[in-house]
Amino acid sequence: MKPAPFTYHRAGSLAEAAEMAATLDNARLLSGGQSLMAMMNLRYVAVDHLIDLNPVAEIAGIAIDGGRVTLGAMTRQRAVLESDALAACCPILREALGFVGHVQTRNRGTVGGSLAHLDPAAELPGMAALLDAEITLTSRGGARTVAMADYPQGYMTPDIVDGEILTSVAFDLWPEGHGWDFREFAQRHGDFAMAGVGSLIALDADGRIGRAAVILIGVGDGPLRLRDVEDILTDEAPSGALFAAAAAMAAARPMSADALVTEAYRQHLSRVLVRRSLTRACARATEAAHA
Amino acid sequence: MPDALPRRRITLTVNGKEHSAETEDRYSLADFLRHGLGLTGTHLGCEHGVCGACTVLVNGEAVRGCLMLAVQAEGCRVTTIEGLADDDGALSPLQQAFMDNHGLQCGFCTPGILTTLTAYLRDHPNADEPEIREALSGNICRCTGYDTIVRAALAAARTIREGAKA
Ligand SMILES: Cc1cc2nc3c(=O)[nH]c(=O)nc-3n(C[C@@H](O)[C@H](O)[C@H](O)COP(=O)(O)OP(=O)(O)OC[C@H]3O[C@@H](n4cnc5c(N)ncnc54)[C@H](O)[C@@H]3O)c2cc1C
Ligand code: FES
Ligand code: FES
């Protein structure tokens, strides 16, 4: 099916895009198009104006500076996956990006588009939640920053108001030698996860878990940060029993059900994935400590 | 809704040849290639990014032709299935390997698979079987069960490597 008719606008700069976003009625921003064009082709979405951000080079790129990483909204998913500099200081990103769709969709799909679309099973919002990222939104009136913790307002509903453009996402790096793991379960490689988990672990000088961050994706309205699980891990020595207890706690919360997957199955997947993920993340942190 | 559907003229290079043509703003690149330029080798299956049949190369990289607008290809270099063989008709190593290894049955998925693998093997000539299977994860074939496709891709990778050495 063809999308319903619309007028296409090429934004030459961020200022021009912001002006268009502020003035055109029933308009949408177009980034990679890997979600939006599909929805328009299916006529879930009909717009009068499409504002193409692809020429806006000033909001693309990866910057690593003073322990902080900033990803421009128009950075392609493939660029994040292939960045050796990012993989060196934040290796979980490469592991997670390998699960975002397929090579053809990553060639076009962007960081900002994924964060704005906010699919509950999407890996990039999960990473933003895991890394305590801050999201910058720019409009004709100026810019504001939102903490990822406050950004999802409900199912596929980000804290973005009309006329705002997501321009970047930024986060602080974890200490060198931290352990990481991302894994998920999907019907086919590259499809949306029925459940996915990301974990980061930093060990203290005594080999105990000094800091932990764990997220689930694909099980609720948005990325789910597991603060209670992080609390029971912190200050403990890594062990199989600890990981099993953490996994049971993660799986005890209510989860979504759909035509393919029941709530009980999602909880089961979450328990298995969290246990395996923590085991691997801790093993990697231990390995780094002994290296 | 406007009386006349929004349209514009775009200029792009397809399979090495420059084209300038009118398109509706809402036309996908795949529709434009098929209906605007008559290059019907690019197939449309699902039109929402899942099946991969519409895959073409834009500036050398594999993209979904159904999820990119034709107007976005202004100034771009596009390669379709029609552009993979030499001008004299000699098949590319990948096309030849698909013939030799029965890498297709009905052929509906084949243009998207060949364009995807053309870019992938160019960048990863040493790809092993799991890597090739992952590279193919974005292309659905209803007929072949993939084994012959993977065999063909591995054979093509060998030919490309040997060609590079020679
Ligand atoms: C077959 C297939 C499999 C996929 N599998 C996965 C997967 O496993 N995991 C995953 O995470 N994703 C997956 N995706 C979706 C992913 O490819 C998309 O890239 C992503 O969801 C949206 O990013 P985009 O840049 O393509 O945005 P677009 O599709 O262009 O836009 C998405 C939405 O965000 C809005 N928007 C875009 N940019 C901005 C901005 N800068 N500011 C404000 N609003 C903006 C748009 O108006 C639109 O509403 C898949 C897609 C396909 C086709
Ligand atoms: S037609 Fe484009 S992916 Fe199916
Ligand atoms: S050969 Fe028939 S769909 Fe692949």
Side-chain angles (χ1 to χ4, degrees):
Chain A
M1 211 192 317
K2 308 303 155 228
F6 57 82
T7 303
Y8 169 84
H9 304 265
R10 193 188 304 269
S13 65
L14 180 57
E16 204 174 296
E19 186 62 30
M20 288 176 185
T23 50
L24 293 170
D25 276 339
N26 187 24
R28 281 262 194 155
L29 299 161
L30 173 63
S31 289
Q34 302 303 295
S35 296
L36 181 59
M37 287 317 307
M39 291 190 299
M40 289 176 62
N41 287 350
L42 292 166
R43 301 210 179 191
Y44 287 146
V45 171
V47 300
D48 291 323
H49 301 279
L50 212 49
I51 305 166
D52 188 359
L53 295 176
N54 282 275
V56 187
E58 67 204 271
I59 58 168
I62 298 169
I64 305 171
D65 187 19
R68 197 164 167 83
V69 171
T70 307
L71 305 175
M74 282 309 298
T75 311
R76 303 284 174 198
Q77 292 156 7
R78 179 178 179 174
V80 178
L81 176 70
E82 292 187 351
S83 164
D84 291 334
L86 265 186
C89 61
C90 189
I92 196 169
L93 284 180
R94 178 169 285 174
E95 199 156 87
L97 263 292
F99 289 94
V100 180
H102 314 278
V103 61
Q104 302 100 330
T105 68
R106 294 191 295 262
N107 277 335
R108 295 289 297 167
T110 66
V111 170
S114 179
L115 286 166
H117 190 60
L118 203 63
D119 189 291
E123 291 79 4
L124 273 158
M127 288 299 108
L130 186 72
L131 292 157
D132 292 309
E134 288 179 330
I135 288 174
T136 300
L137 301 158
T138 304
S139 64
R140 196 167 56 166
R144 70 180 173 107
T145 298
V146 196
M148 187 60 198
D150 305 322
Y151 172 76
Q153 312 266 293
Y155 178 74
M156 291 178 84
T157 310
D159 177 13
I160 302 180
V161 300
D162 259 4
E164 276 184 330
I165 301 170
L166 196 162
T167 41
S168 66
V169 55
F171 54 88
D172 290 330
L173 286 172
W174 275 52
E176 216 175 301
H178 70 268
W180 79 94
D181 177 80
F182 182 83
R183 61 187 60 222
E184 66 178 46
F185 191 81
Q187 273 201 310
R188 159 180 85 142
H189 180 91
D191 282 358
F192 281 108
M194 292 173 178
V197 55
S199 8
L200 294 172
I201 297 284
L203 298 178
D204 64 20
D206 304 323
R208 279 193 294 264
I209 297 172
R211 186 176 162 200
V214 190
I215 48 117
L216 281 172
I217 62 167
V219 303
D221 281 352
L224 207 61
R225 184 78 187 260
L226 305 179
R227 306 263 178 202
D228 51 347
V229 173
E230 294 166 12
D231 284 344
I232 68 155
L233 291 168
T234 308
D235 295 329
E236 298 293 327
S239 74
L242 179 66
F243 302 149
M249 191 172 203
R253 46 185 33 81
M255 294 185 184
S256 52
D258 54 47
L260 279 176
V261 195
T262 60
E263 179 181 30
Y265 187 47
R266 276 213 162 82
Q267 290 167 328
H268 169 74
L269 285 175
S270 300
R271 185 156 45 80
V272 174
L273 292 170
V274 167
R275 187 172 49 74
R276 291 182 184 167
S277 183
L278 289 173
T279 307
R280 180 130 163 276
C282 276
R284 277 170 160 166
T286 308
E287 214 174 281
H290 294 295
Chain B
M1 204 170 76
D3 297 336
L5 295 177
R7 312 170 61 81
R8 67 198 71 215
R9 176 165 288 278
I10 57 168
T11 304
L12 71 174
T13 304
V14 182
N15 300 330
K17 195 166 152 239
E18 189 171 292
H19 293 270
S20 174
E22 282 239 333
T23 176
E24 265 184 47
D25 280 12
R26 64 172 173 161
Y27 255 39
S28 70
L29 177 58
D31 276 334
F32 172 78
L33 293 167
R34 290 177 59 85
H35 306 301
L37 303 184
L39 294 169
T40 53
T42 299
H43 292 166
L44 284 152
C46 65
E47 294 186 88
H48 61 274
V50 174
C51 74
C54 64
T55 304
V56 295
L57 305 183
V58 175
N59 296 335
E61 301 307 340
V63 306
R64 301 286 201 227
C66 69
L67 298 185
M68 182 169 168
L69 294 170
V71 292
Q72 293 184 290
E74 165 72 36
C76 289
R77 206 164 28 84
V78 176
T79 306
T80 69
I81 183 72
E82 289 90 346
L84 295 190
D86 280 353
D87 289 342
D88 63 8
L91 297 181
S92 76
L94 194 62
Q95 289 173 305
Q96 189 60 49
F98 267 67
M99 271 188 73
D100 298 343
N101 292 278
H102 309 288
L104 63 149
Q105 290 186 49
C106 78
F108 188 82
C109 67
T110 312
I113 289 186
L114 288 175
T115 46
T116 297
L117 286 174
T118 296
Y120 188 75
L121 293 181
R122 177 198 65 210
D123 297 343
H124 307 91
N126 297 313
D128 61 15
E129 179 175 337
E131 288 165 345
I132 283 175
R133 286 190 183 273
E134 187 177 327
L136 281 169
S137 67
N139 294 80
I140 293 176
C141 173
R142 294 171 301 167
C143 301
T144 67
Y146 294 95
D147 274 359
T148 53
I149 295 178
V150 171
R151 203 177 305 147
L154 286 166
R158 265 194 308 277
T159 312
I160 293 168
R161 282 197 304 270
E162 278 157 20
K165 256 183 262 152

